[in-house]
Amino acid sequence: MLRACGHQITSSSSQLRTYISSQRTSRSLRFPALPRCHEIMSKEDRMDTWQERWSQGKTGWQLPDLNFALENHASKLLPKPERRILVPLCGKSVDVEWLYREGHTVVGIEGIEQAIVEFFSEHNLPYSTEQLTWAKVFKTEDDRLKMYCCDIFKMDIENLGKFDSIWDRGSLVAIYEEDRERYAKVIKALLAPDFHYMINATQYTPHEGFSGPPRNIPTALVEKLFGDVCELQVLEERTRSKEAVAHWGLDDFVEAVLLLTPQS
């Protein structure tokens, strides 16, 4: 089911406004420049490709500010306090730290260990590690934040358990097209009964010179992948200027904030 909601921005909490002010010196509603990353999925060995990007510091998708979708719609993703939330392919996103500081229990999945180590270092979070058969776990002293270094398709789903919320800022848009059905199956296996799953989907017209990542994720595709168990709402759509995506040769580029919840 697809229900298109209005594009009115929801009010943020005072805590959210305070956090955002402390994390930046100035901010407008303009979009940051997009990274030139369309070549990063061209090699056969995917992990080596991403590792090379991190080793060379070519991680333009790692933004310094809280994602606009969380800023505007956190209450929709997190309708109750102390949620258990999954952030797939999290990198070293500041979104993870914000979710943790808000009192939630956060689990990140990331394939590159360097990204996880840099996350804990940059946020001055003491951590310990544990080696599992399928992943290396980095966790805070209070156990409320864990990052699993592993292949997302080799996770132990039973071990991970269920999640109240999933924040998909850069995961679905990054994976290969042929992996989407398998990815959806993994995500659906991790959803708690009263789940809230929010996706930051990039939408544009691909061409021979550029097809991602970030890949084109039409709203209809998300409905196809998850419509058997979810209802879908369009919370917000933002259009990037043609100048911002000129290096990709694109004429149109929209970021859609999609919220998936249980079927009624």
Side-chain angles (χ1 to χ4, degrees), residues 109-139:
I109 305 296
E110 172 55 46
I112 306 303
E113 183 170 331
Q114 178 183 340
I116 299 176
V117 172
E118 288 184 9
F119 170 84
F120 281 97
S121 175
E122 291 174 8
H123 293 288
N124 297 312
L125 289 171
Y127 67 91
S128 61
T129 63
E130 180 183 358
Q131 187 64 55
L132 306 178
T133 57
W134 56 278
K136 183 176 181 180
V137 189
F138 295 72
K139 53 188 177 180

PDB file of all heavy atoms in Angstrom, residues 109-139:
ATOM      1  N   ILE A 109      25.895  -2.407  11.131  1.00  0.00           N
ATOM      2  CA  ILE A 109      26.537  -3.444  10.324  1.00  0.00           C
ATOM      3  C   ILE A 109      27.443  -2.734   9.327  1.00  0.00           C
ATOM      4  O   ILE A 109      26.991  -1.839   8.607  1.00  0.00           O
ATOM      5  CB  ILE A 109      25.506  -4.302   9.562  1.00  0.00           C
ATOM      6  CG1 ILE A 109      24.483  -4.911  10.520  1.00  0.00           C
ATOM      7  CG2 ILE A 109      26.210  -5.372   8.741  1.00  0.00           C
ATOM      8  CD1 ILE A 109      25.059  -5.889  11.512  1.00  0.00           C
ATOM      9  N   GLU A 110      28.715  -3.135   9.293  1.00  0.00           N
ATOM     10  CA  GLU A 110      29.677  -2.487   8.397  1.00  0.00           C
ATOM     11  C   GLU A 110      30.733  -3.506   7.983  1.00  0.00           C
ATOM     12  O   GLU A 110      31.228  -4.265   8.815  1.00  0.00           O
ATOM     13  CB  GLU A 110      30.327  -1.288   9.102  1.00  0.00           C
ATOM     14  CG  GLU A 110      31.471  -0.651   8.365  1.00  0.00           C
ATOM     15  CD  GLU A 110      31.116  -0.216   6.955  1.00  0.00           C
ATOM     16  OE1 GLU A 110      30.045   0.410   6.761  1.00  0.00           O
ATOM     17  OE2 GLU A 110      31.913  -0.506   6.034  1.00  0.00           O
ATOM     18  N   GLY A 111      31.079  -3.503   6.704  1.00  0.00           N
ATOM     19  CA  GLY A 111      32.030  -4.474   6.195  1.00  0.00           C
ATOM     20  C   GLY A 111      33.487  -4.103   6.345  1.00  0.00           C
ATOM     21  O   GLY A 111      34.362  -4.955   6.223  1.00  0.00           O
ATOM     22  N   ILE A 112      33.771  -2.800   6.615  1.00  0.00           N
ATOM     23  CA  ILE A 112      35.150  -2.322   6.663  1.00  0.00           C
ATOM     24  C   ILE A 112      35.528  -1.950   8.096  1.00  0.00           C
ATOM     25  O   ILE A 112      34.953  -1.027   8.684  1.00  0.00           O
ATOM     26  CB  ILE A 112      35.341  -1.106   5.740  1.00  0.00           C
ATOM     27  CG1 ILE A 112      34.873  -1.443   4.316  1.00  0.00           C
ATOM     28  CG2 ILE A 112      36.797  -0.657   5.745  1.00  0.00           C
ATOM     29  CD1 ILE A 112      35.561  -2.642   3.688  1.00  0.00           C
ATOM     30  N   GLU A 113      36.493  -2.650   8.653  1.00  0.00           N
ATOM     31  CA  GLU A 113      36.874  -2.425  10.052  1.00  0.00           C
ATOM     32  C   GLU A 113      37.405  -1.019  10.282  1.00  0.00           C
ATOM     33  O   GLU A 113      37.171  -0.426  11.338  1.00  0.00           O
ATOM     34  CB  GLU A 113      37.923  -3.459  10.475  1.00  0.00           C
ATOM     35  CG  GLU A 113      38.315  -3.353  11.937  1.00  0.00           C
ATOM     36  CD  GLU A 113      39.166  -4.513  12.414  1.00  0.00           C
ATOM     37  OE1 GLU A 113      39.030  -5.638  11.857  1.00  0.00           O
ATOM     38  OE2 GLU A 113      39.964  -4.307  13.359  1.00  0.00           O
ATOM     39  N   GLN A 114      38.111  -0.471   9.325  1.00  0.00           N
ATOM     40  CA  GLN A 114      38.656   0.883   9.473  1.00  0.00           C
ATOM     41  C   GLN A 114      37.552   1.892   9.781  1.00  0.00           C
ATOM     42  O   GLN A 114      37.735   2.797  10.600  1.00  0.00           O
ATOM     43  CB  GLN A 114      39.380   1.295   8.192  1.00  0.00           C
ATOM     44  CG  GLN A 114      39.943   2.720   8.220  1.00  0.00           C
ATOM     45  CD  GLN A 114      40.597   3.117   6.902  1.00  0.00           C
ATOM     46  OE1 GLN A 114      40.976   2.259   6.099  1.00  0.00           O
ATOM     47  NE2 GLN A 114      40.721   4.414   6.666  1.00  0.00           N
ATOM     48  N   ALA A 115      36.415   1.752   9.126  1.00  0.00           N
ATOM     49  CA  ALA A 115      35.303   2.675   9.350  1.00  0.00           C
ATOM     50  C   ALA A 115      34.819   2.605  10.796  1.00  0.00           C
ATOM     51  O   ALA A 115      34.535   3.640  11.418  1.00  0.00           O
ATOM     52  CB  ALA A 115      34.156   2.331   8.393  1.00  0.00           C
ATOM     53  N   ILE A 116      34.745   1.413  11.342  1.00  0.00           N
ATOM     54  CA  ILE A 116      34.269   1.237  12.716  1.00  0.00           C
ATOM     55  C   ILE A 116      35.264   1.814  13.718  1.00  0.00           C
ATOM     56  O   ILE A 116      34.881   2.521  14.658  1.00  0.00           O
ATOM     57  CB  ILE A 116      34.006  -0.256  12.994  1.00  0.00           C
ATOM     58  CG1 ILE A 116      32.924  -0.790  12.051  1.00  0.00           C
ATOM     59  CG2 ILE A 116      33.619  -0.471  14.451  1.00  0.00           C
ATOM     60  CD1 ILE A 116      32.666  -2.278  12.176  1.00  0.00           C
ATOM     61  N   VAL A 117      36.540   1.520  13.521  1.00  0.00           N
ATOM     62  CA  VAL A 117      37.585   2.036  14.419  1.00  0.00           C
ATOM     63  C   VAL A 117      37.580   3.566  14.392  1.00  0.00           C
ATOM     64  O   VAL A 117      37.680   4.221  15.444  1.00  0.00           O
ATOM     65  CB  VAL A 117      38.962   1.480  14.024  1.00  0.00           C
ATOM     66  CG1 VAL A 117      40.059   2.160  14.825  1.00  0.00           C
ATOM     67  CG2 VAL A 117      39.003  -0.035  14.246  1.00  0.00           C
ATOM     68  N   GLU A 118      37.459   4.147  13.215  1.00  0.00           N
ATOM     69  CA  GLU A 118      37.432   5.609  13.110  1.00  0.00           C
ATOM     70  C   GLU A 118      36.197   6.182  13.797  1.00  0.00           C
ATOM     71  O   GLU A 118      36.270   7.251  14.417  1.00  0.00           O
ATOM     72  CB  GLU A 118      37.470   6.028  11.641  1.00  0.00           C
ATOM     73  CG  GLU A 118      38.824   5.803  10.976  1.00  0.00           C
ATOM     74  CD  GLU A 118      38.864   6.310   9.548  1.00  0.00           C
ATOM     75  OE1 GLU A 118      37.900   6.997   9.120  1.00  0.00           O
ATOM     76  OE2 GLU A 118      39.865   6.029   8.847  1.00  0.00           O
ATOM     77  N   PHE A 119      35.077   5.499  13.710  1.00  0.00           N
ATOM     78  CA  PHE A 119      33.864   5.974  14.375  1.00  0.00           C
ATOM     79  C   PHE A 119      34.076   6.100  15.879  1.00  0.00           C
ATOM     80  O   PHE A 119      33.804   7.148  16.476  1.00  0.00           O
ATOM     81  CB  PHE A 119      32.700   5.022  14.097  1.00  0.00           C
ATOM     82  CG  PHE A 119      31.479   5.311  14.931  1.00  0.00           C
ATOM     83  CD1 PHE A 119      30.565   6.265  14.533  1.00  0.00           C
ATOM     84  CD2 PHE A 119      31.262   4.649  16.139  1.00  0.00           C
ATOM     85  CE1 PHE A 119      29.446   6.548  15.314  1.00  0.00           C
ATOM     86  CE2 PHE A 119      30.153   4.926  16.919  1.00  0.00           C
ATOM     87  CZ  PHE A 119      29.244   5.879  16.506  1.00  0.00           C
ATOM     88  N   PHE A 120      34.545   5.040  16.515  1.00  0.00           N
ATOM     89  CA  PHE A 120      34.733   5.071  17.963  1.00  0.00           C
ATOM     90  C   PHE A 120      35.796   6.085  18.360  1.00  0.00           C
ATOM     91  O   PHE A 120      35.664   6.769  19.389  1.00  0.00           O
ATOM     92  CB  PHE A 120      35.101   3.675  18.467  1.00  0.00           C
ATOM     93  CG  PHE A 120      33.927   2.754  18.597  1.00  0.00           C
ATOM     94  CD1 PHE A 120      33.608   1.845  17.586  1.00  0.00           C
ATOM     95  CD2 PHE A 120      33.124   2.785  19.723  1.00  0.00           C
ATOM     96  CE1 PHE A 120      32.520   0.997  17.700  1.00  0.00           C
ATOM     97  CE2 PHE A 120      32.023   1.936  19.851  1.00  0.00           C
ATOM     98  CZ  PHE A 120      31.716   1.045  18.827  1.00  0.00           C
ATOM     99  N   SER A 121      36.835   6.212  17.560  1.00  0.00           N
ATOM    100  CA  SER A 121      37.905   7.160  17.857  1.00  0.00           C
ATOM    101  C   SER A 121      37.416   8.604  17.749  1.00  0.00           C
ATOM    102  O   SER A 121      37.669   9.422  18.640  1.00  0.00           O
ATOM    103  CB  SER A 121      39.083   6.924  16.904  1.00  0.00           C
ATOM    104  OG  SER A 121      40.083   7.903  17.090  1.00  0.00           O
ATOM    105  N   GLU A 122      36.718   8.913  16.677  1.00  0.00           N
ATOM    106  CA  GLU A 122      36.275  10.287  16.443  1.00  0.00           C
ATOM    107  C   GLU A 122      35.227  10.747  17.440  1.00  0.00           C
ATOM    108  O   GLU A 122      35.092  11.940  17.695  1.00  0.00           O
ATOM    109  CB  GLU A 122      35.753  10.416  15.012  1.00  0.00           C
ATOM    110  CG  GLU A 122      36.862  10.291  13.968  1.00  0.00           C
ATOM    111  CD  GLU A 122      36.326  10.276  12.541  1.00  0.00           C
ATOM    112  OE1 GLU A 122      35.100  10.518  12.362  1.00  0.00           O
ATOM    113  OE2 GLU A 122      37.125  10.022  11.618  1.00  0.00           O
ATOM    114  N   HIS A 123      34.490   9.809  18.026  1.00  0.00           N
ATOM    115  CA  HIS A 123      33.462  10.171  19.006  1.00  0.00           C
ATOM    116  C   HIS A 123      33.910   9.899  20.443  1.00  0.00           C
ATOM    117  O   HIS A 123      33.104  10.022  21.373  1.00  0.00           O
ATOM    118  CB  HIS A 123      32.171   9.419  18.702  1.00  0.00           C
ATOM    119  CG  HIS A 123      31.523   9.832  17.411  1.00  0.00           C
ATOM    120  ND1 HIS A 123      30.889  11.047  17.243  1.00  0.00           N
ATOM    121  CD2 HIS A 123      31.439   9.212  16.205  1.00  0.00           C
ATOM    122  CE1 HIS A 123      30.432  11.143  16.010  1.00  0.00           C
ATOM    123  NE2 HIS A 123      30.763  10.044  15.360  1.00  0.00           N
ATOM    124  N   ASN A 124      35.195   9.563  20.591  1.00  0.00           N
ATOM    125  CA  ASN A 124      35.771   9.342  21.930  1.00  0.00           C
ATOM    126  C   ASN A 124      34.950   8.352  22.754  1.00  0.00           C
ATOM    127  O   ASN A 124      34.679   8.575  23.940  1.00  0.00           O
ATOM    128  CB  ASN A 124      35.892  10.684  22.681  1.00  0.00           C
ATOM    129  CG  ASN A 124      36.832  11.644  21.986  1.00  0.00           C
ATOM    130  OD1 ASN A 124      37.941  11.282  21.606  1.00  0.00           O
ATOM    131  ND2 ASN A 124      36.379  12.874  21.796  1.00  0.00           N
ATOM    132  N   LEU A 125      34.597   7.248  22.127  1.00  0.00           N
ATOM    133  CA  LEU A 125      33.816   6.220  22.798  1.00  0.00           C
ATOM    134  C   LEU A 125      34.711   5.020  23.106  1.00  0.00           C
ATOM    135  O   LEU A 125      35.187   4.342  22.190  1.00  0.00           O
ATOM    136  CB  LEU A 125      32.657   5.777  21.908  1.00  0.00           C
ATOM    137  CG  LEU A 125      31.512   6.767  21.708  1.00  0.00           C
ATOM    138  CD1 LEU A 125      30.558   6.260  20.628  1.00  0.00           C
ATOM    139  CD2 LEU A 125      30.750   6.980  23.007  1.00  0.00           C
ATOM    140  N   PRO A 126      34.961   4.735  24.384  1.00  0.00           N
ATOM    141  CA  PRO A 126      35.717   3.518  24.725  1.00  0.00           C
ATOM    142  C   PRO A 126      34.961   2.287  24.251  1.00  0.00           C
ATOM    143  O   PRO A 126      33.733   2.244  24.292  1.00  0.00           O
ATOM    144  CB  PRO A 126      35.788   3.568  26.262  1.00  0.00           C
ATOM    145  CG  PRO A 126      35.515   4.986  26.616  1.00  0.00           C
ATOM    146  CD  PRO A 126      34.576   5.505  25.574  1.00  0.00           C
ATOM    147  N   TYR A 127      35.699   1.283  23.803  1.00  0.00           N
ATOM    148  CA  TYR A 127      35.037   0.085  23.294  1.00  0.00           C
ATOM    149  C   TYR A 127      35.880  -1.156  23.556  1.00  0.00           C
ATOM    150  O   TYR A 127      37.079  -1.080  23.812  1.00  0.00           O
ATOM    151  CB  TYR A 127      34.768   0.217  21.798  1.00  0.00           C
ATOM    152  CG  TYR A 127      36.011   0.233  20.935  1.00  0.00           C
ATOM    153  CD1 TYR A 127      36.557  -0.945  20.410  1.00  0.00           C
ATOM    154  CD2 TYR A 127      36.646   1.434  20.624  1.00  0.00           C
ATOM    155  CE1 TYR A 127      37.696  -0.927  19.616  1.00  0.00           C
ATOM    156  CE2 TYR A 127      37.778   1.467  19.825  1.00  0.00           C
ATOM    157  CZ  TYR A 127      38.301   0.285  19.325  1.00  0.00           C
ATOM    158  OH  TYR A 127      39.430   0.310  18.548  1.00  0.00           O
ATOM    159  N   SER A 128      35.225  -2.287  23.485  1.00  0.00           N
ATOM    160  CA  SER A 128      35.903  -3.579  23.526  1.00  0.00           C
ATOM    161  C   SER A 128      35.508  -4.344  22.276  1.00  0.00           C
ATOM    162  O   SER A 128      34.553  -3.978  21.581  1.00  0.00           O
ATOM    163  CB  SER A 128      35.519  -4.354  24.787  1.00  0.00           C
ATOM    164  OG  SER A 128      34.118  -4.603  24.807  1.00  0.00           O
ATOM    165  N   THR A 129      36.233  -5.412  21.985  1.00  0.00           N
ATOM    166  CA  THR A 129      35.918  -6.211  20.798  1.00  0.00           C
ATOM    167  C   THR A 129      35.718  -7.676  21.178  1.00  0.00           C
ATOM    168  O   THR A 129      36.228  -8.147  22.200  1.00  0.00           O
ATOM    169  CB  THR A 129      37.041  -6.118  19.750  1.00  0.00           C
ATOM    170  OG1 THR A 129      38.249  -6.663  20.292  1.00  0.00           O
ATOM    171  CG2 THR A 129      37.265  -4.677  19.321  1.00  0.00           C
ATOM    172  N   GLU A 130      34.964  -8.351  20.349  1.00  0.00           N
ATOM    173  CA  GLU A 130      34.721  -9.781  20.524  1.00  0.00           C
ATOM    174  C   GLU A 130      34.678 -10.425  19.148  1.00  0.00           C
ATOM    175  O   GLU A 130      34.023  -9.901  18.239  1.00  0.00           O
ATOM    176  CB  GLU A 130      33.400 -10.008  21.255  1.00  0.00           C
ATOM    177  CG  GLU A 130      33.062 -11.478  21.474  1.00  0.00           C
ATOM    178  CD  GLU A 130      31.712 -11.665  22.144  1.00  0.00           C
ATOM    179  OE1 GLU A 130      31.055 -10.652  22.467  1.00  0.00           O
ATOM    180  OE2 GLU A 130      31.311 -12.830  22.335  1.00  0.00           O
ATOM    181  N   GLN A 131      35.385 -11.516  18.982  1.00  0.00           N
ATOM    182  CA  GLN A 131      35.408 -12.214  17.706  1.00  0.00           C
ATOM    183  C   GLN A 131      34.383 -13.340  17.698  1.00  0.00           C
ATOM    184  O   GLN A 131      34.461 -14.279  18.485  1.00  0.00           O
ATOM    185  CB  GLN A 131      36.800 -12.784  17.423  1.00  0.00           C
ATOM    186  CG  GLN A 131      36.956 -13.386  16.045  1.00  0.00           C
ATOM    187  CD  GLN A 131      36.796 -12.359  14.924  1.00  0.00           C
ATOM    188  OE1 GLN A 131      37.487 -11.345  14.903  1.00  0.00           O
ATOM    189  NE2 GLN A 131      35.875 -12.617  14.001  1.00  0.00           N
ATOM    190  N   LEU A 132      33.409 -13.229  16.811  1.00  0.00           N
ATOM    191  CA  LEU A 132      32.423 -14.286  16.630  1.00  0.00           C
ATOM    192  C   LEU A 132      32.817 -15.107  15.406  1.00  0.00           C
ATOM    193  O   LEU A 132      33.738 -14.757  14.674  1.00  0.00           O
ATOM    194  CB  LEU A 132      31.032 -13.673  16.431  1.00  0.00           C
ATOM    195  CG  LEU A 132      30.545 -12.694  17.501  1.00  0.00           C
ATOM    196  CD1 LEU A 132      29.169 -12.149  17.110  1.00  0.00           C
ATOM    197  CD2 LEU A 132      30.484 -13.372  18.864  1.00  0.00           C
ATOM    198  N   THR A 133      32.105 -16.169  15.153  1.00  0.00           N
ATOM    199  CA  THR A 133      32.411 -16.995  13.974  1.00  0.00           C
ATOM    200  C   THR A 133      32.074 -16.267  12.682  1.00  0.00           C
ATOM    201  O   THR A 133      32.673 -16.525  11.642  1.00  0.00           O
ATOM    202  CB  THR A 133      31.633 -18.318  14.027  1.00  0.00           C
ATOM    203  OG1 THR A 133      30.228 -18.036  14.127  1.00  0.00           O
ATOM    204  CG2 THR A 133      32.066 -19.157  15.226  1.00  0.00           C
ATOM    205  N   TRP A 134      31.131 -15.318  12.741  1.00  0.00           N
ATOM    206  CA  TRP A 134      30.655 -14.650  11.523  1.00  0.00           C
ATOM    207  C   TRP A 134      30.941 -13.156  11.498  1.00  0.00           C
ATOM    208  O   TRP A 134      30.666 -12.494  10.485  1.00  0.00           O
ATOM    209  CB  TRP A 134      29.153 -14.869  11.361  1.00  0.00           C
ATOM    210  CG  TRP A 134      28.348 -14.410  12.553  1.00  0.00           C
ATOM    211  CD1 TRP A 134      28.130 -15.107  13.715  1.00  0.00           C
ATOM    212  CD2 TRP A 134      27.686 -13.159  12.715  1.00  0.00           C
ATOM    213  NE1 TRP A 134      27.368 -14.367  14.581  1.00  0.00           N
ATOM    214  CE2 TRP A 134      27.076 -13.169  13.986  1.00  0.00           C
ATOM    215  CE3 TRP A 134      27.531 -12.038  11.899  1.00  0.00           C
ATOM    216  CZ2 TRP A 134      26.334 -12.101  14.466  1.00  0.00           C
ATOM    217  CZ3 TRP A 134      26.785 -10.966  12.375  1.00  0.00           C
ATOM    218  CH2 TRP A 134      26.197 -10.997  13.645  1.00  0.00           C
ATOM    219  N   ALA A 135      31.493 -12.606  12.591  1.00  0.00           N
ATOM    220  CA  ALA A 135      31.720 -11.153  12.656  1.00  0.00           C
ATOM    221  C   ALA A 135      32.668 -10.812  13.798  1.00  0.00           C
ATOM    222  O   ALA A 135      32.848 -11.593  14.743  1.00  0.00           O
ATOM    223  CB  ALA A 135      30.401 -10.412  12.859  1.00  0.00           C
ATOM    224  N   LYS A 136      33.256  -9.636  13.710  1.00  0.00           N
ATOM    225  CA  LYS A 136      33.990  -9.041  14.816  1.00  0.00           C
ATOM    226  C   LYS A 136      33.120  -7.924  15.374  1.00  0.00           C
ATOM    227  O   LYS A 136      32.670  -7.051  14.626  1.00  0.00           O
ATOM    228  CB  LYS A 136      35.337  -8.482  14.349  1.00  0.00           C
ATOM    229  CG  LYS A 136      36.198  -7.916  15.477  1.00  0.00           C
ATOM    230  CD  LYS A 136      37.559  -7.462  14.950  1.00  0.00           C
ATOM    231  CE  LYS A 136      38.446  -6.918  16.068  1.00  0.00           C
ATOM    232  NZ  LYS A 136      39.777  -6.482  15.543  1.00  0.00           N
ATOM    233  N   VAL A 137      32.861  -7.960  16.667  1.00  0.00           N
ATOM    234  CA  VAL A 137      31.956  -7.006  17.289  1.00  0.00           C
ATOM    235  C   VAL A 137      32.736  -5.947  18.059  1.00  0.00           C
ATOM    236  O   VAL A 137      33.621  -6.266  18.855  1.00  0.00           O
ATOM    237  CB  VAL A 137      30.977  -7.701  18.261  1.00  0.00           C
ATOM    238  CG1 VAL A 137      29.914  -6.709  18.716  1.00  0.00           C
ATOM    239  CG2 VAL A 137      30.344  -8.910  17.619  1.00  0.00           C
ATOM    240  N   PHE A 138      32.387  -4.688  17.834  1.00  0.00           N
ATOM    241  CA  PHE A 138      32.918  -3.554  18.584  1.00  0.00           C
ATOM    242  C   PHE A 138      31.758  -3.019  19.419  1.00  0.00           C
ATOM    243  O   PHE A 138      30.683  -2.728  18.882  1.00  0.00           O
ATOM    244  CB  PHE A 138      33.417  -2.467  17.637  1.00  0.00           C
ATOM    245  CG  PHE A 138      34.594  -2.875  16.784  1.00  0.00           C
ATOM    246  CD1 PHE A 138      34.442  -3.772  15.738  1.00  0.00           C
ATOM    247  CD2 PHE A 138      35.858  -2.352  17.031  1.00  0.00           C
ATOM    248  CE1 PHE A 138      35.517  -4.154  14.952  1.00  0.00           C
ATOM    249  CE2 PHE A 138      36.944  -2.719  16.246  1.00  0.00           C
ATOM    250  CZ  PHE A 138      36.776  -3.619  15.209  1.00  0.00           C
ATOM    251  N   LYS A 139      31.959  -2.878  20.741  1.00  0.00           N
ATOM    252  CA  LYS A 139      30.834  -2.479  21.577  1.00  0.00           C
ATOM    253  C   LYS A 139      31.269  -1.532  22.688  1.00  0.00           C
ATOM    254  O   LYS A 139      32.380  -1.592  23.199  1.00  0.00           O
ATOM    255  CB  LYS A 139      30.154  -3.707  22.169  1.00  0.00           C
ATOM    256  CG  LYS A 139      31.076  -4.666  22.909  1.00  0.00           C
ATOM    257  CD  LYS A 139      30.331  -5.941  23.288  1.00  0.00           C
ATOM    258  CE  LYS A 139      31.269  -6.953  23.962  1.00  0.00           C
ATOM    259  NZ  LYS A 139      30.555  -8.194  24.322  1.00  0.00           N
TER     260      LYS A 139
END
